[in-house]
Amino acid sequence: MLDRRSKTILLVFAAGLLVILLSEVFRPRPIDWRPSYTASEKIPFGGFVVHEELSALLDGTEIEDVSRDPFEFLLDSSYVQNSAYFFLNDNIFLDENQVNLLLKYASEGNTVFISANSSGYILADTLKHYTATSYDLLEEDLESRFFSPRFQLDSLPKFRRGVYKTVFNEIDTLNTTALGYFSSEENKMEAINYVSVEVGDGQFLLHTLPEAFSNYYLLKGNEQYAAGVLSYLQADRVYWDSYLKSGRKVITSNLRFILSQDSLKWAYYLALFGMILLLLFKSKREQRVIQEIKPLENTSIEFTRTIGDLYFQHKDYTNIITKKITYFLEVVRSQY
């Protein structure tokens, strides 16, 4: 039994532990500022708002989510003509196979829209468009404008927090139309940040300010700028890329291949379910283990040997002989 002092210490310890657990559960969660741009994320740099409002910004255009690799999606050639492939992320790296199919997709009269700080050196070398990013902290707000007088904004958008200034420092002027730029306080053009590149019958729309489409800046009154950027995108259907995303949930389990294949995944789940059923039925039907009870040992021989050793050590041979004679006579009387 615990004494009164020990009980008091345990109660105080339990109360302190309970207070710590409750404070961890109910304390405000810190804001997650990591770039995600996924359609389900509601963090500042998620893509929930733009995904929900994209159809309205594009005058009711149908939006289709694509969770597969762009190479796999474009390889089956089942996409709609006069459509647009919409890429939005902080950084996008397109390999050679993806770039080749995107070029084929655009040349057929479709649009590839990419809003990212970088889209990889392969696409840059192919389109002859190179960007430069400044990773210094911004000392003043970034202002972005359009060259076309049709898209003059009522109020200039302000970008600063979480933004890295990325501009085009080299472009192919033969096939490129500059659409937007960063401006200075004197309303002078500093650098281009939005271009259209003709590819066959279609185009690539390259935009270097993906933060403009994040939840944080769309909810701060910059939706007019986002709508101006998207006004150059005319399509009957928009394919929203959900694969090349920084916040995409990836299965890291060792069973990721099995879980990625429907047939193997259901076979795995069925095997687990069968094992659980087997354990349940065997635990009900089989008898419990019976503890082995060893029989009592006959210690008469050990006792006799011990007594004999005792007499032998004392060298009392006469007493031993007398007991042997007595034991022999008792056997004779009782048996004969």
Side-chain angles (χ1 to χ4, degrees), residues 69-126:
D69 186 292
F71 176 78
E72 295 179 7
F73 174 72
L74 296 175
L75 192 62
D76 60 18
S77 303
S78 61
Y79 49 81
V80 176
Q81 294 300 323
N82 192 30
S83 60
Y85 212 141
F86 192 94
F87 294 92
L88 173 66
N89 202 36
D90 55 335
N91 289 288
I92 295 174
F93 180 82
L94 298 170
D95 60 32
E96 186 175 357
N97 293 327
Q98 293 168 338
V99 169
N100 290 335
L101 284 184
L102 285 173
L103 289 172
K104 177 179 178 294
Y105 171 77
S107 65
E108 295 173 353
N110 303 302
T111 300
V112 177
F113 178 88
I114 300 177
S115 183
N117 297 130
S118 172
S119 53
Y121 66 89
I122 296 177
L123 182 64
D125 289 341
T126 303

Side-chain angles (χ1 to χ4, degrees), residues 62-264:
E62 183 181 355
I63 310 299
E64 180 180 337
D65 289 352
V66 179
S67 58
R68 292 188 292 165
D69 186 292
F71 176 78
E72 295 179 7
F73 174 72
L74 296 175
L75 192 62
D76 60 18
S77 303
S78 61
Y79 49 81
V80 176
Q81 294 300 323
N82 192 30
S83 60
Y85 212 141
F86 192 94
F87 294 92
L88 173 66
N89 202 36
D90 55 335
N91 289 288
I92 295 174
F93 180 82
L94 298 170
D95 60 32
E96 186 175 357
N97 293 327
Q98 293 168 338
V99 169
N100 290 335
L101 284 184
L102 285 173
L103 289 172
K104 177 179 178 294
Y105 171 77
S107 65
E108 295 173 353
N110 303 302
T111 300
V112 177
F113 178 88
I114 300 177
S115 183
N117 297 130
S118 172
S119 53
Y121 66 89
I122 296 177
L123 182 64
D125 289 341
T126 303
L127 299 180
K128 300 296 185 292
H129 286 71
Y130 301 94
T131 59
T133 302
S134 174
Y135 294 99
D136 297 333
L137 294 176
L138 295 177
E139 297 181 359
E140 57 185 16
D141 293 334
L142 280 178
E143 297 179 354
S144 190
R145 299 172 182 263
F146 299 102
F147 285 105
S148 174
R150 295 166 45 203
F151 303 115
Q152 296 306 317
L153 305 177
D154 298 333
S155 59
L156 290 179
K158 306 290 184 181
F159 302 100
R160 185 172 183 179
R161 182 164 189 171
V163 175
Y164 296 111
K165 186 177 180 181
T166 302
V167 299
F168 289 100
N169 58 357
E170 184 178 344
I171 61 176
D172 180 7
T173 57
L174 293 177
N175 302 311
T176 303
T177 302
L179 304 178
Y181 61 95
F182 288 121
S183 63
S184 61
E185 295 181 357
E186 295 80 13
N187 196 18
K188 294 181 180 180
M189 187 191 74
E190 286 188 347
I192 297 173
N193 69 343
Y194 189 25
V195 297
S196 170
V197 185
E198 294 182 6
V199 177
D201 294 331
Q203 63 176 341
F204 271 73
L205 292 174
L206 305 178
H207 183 248
T208 65
L209 189 61
E211 295 84 3
F213 296 100
S214 65
N215 299 331
Y216 179 73
Y217 283 106
L218 282 178
L219 296 177
K220 288 188 67 175
N222 291 334
E223 66 278 358
Q224 190 179 3
Y225 173 75
V229 173
L230 295 176
S231 63
Y232 291 94
L233 197 159
Q234 303 295 328
D236 296 331
R237 179 179 296 181
V238 172
Y239 298 107
W240 169 279
D241 169 65
S242 297
Y243 186 82
L244 299 176
K245 289 286 191 290
S246 297
R248 179 170 64 96
K249 293 179 173 60
V250 180
I251 299 176
T252 58
S253 169
N254 293 329
L255 300 173
R256 57 185 176 272
F257 177 75
I258 294 177
L259 297 178
S260 65
Q261 306 295 321
D262 289 338
S263 55
L264 294 178

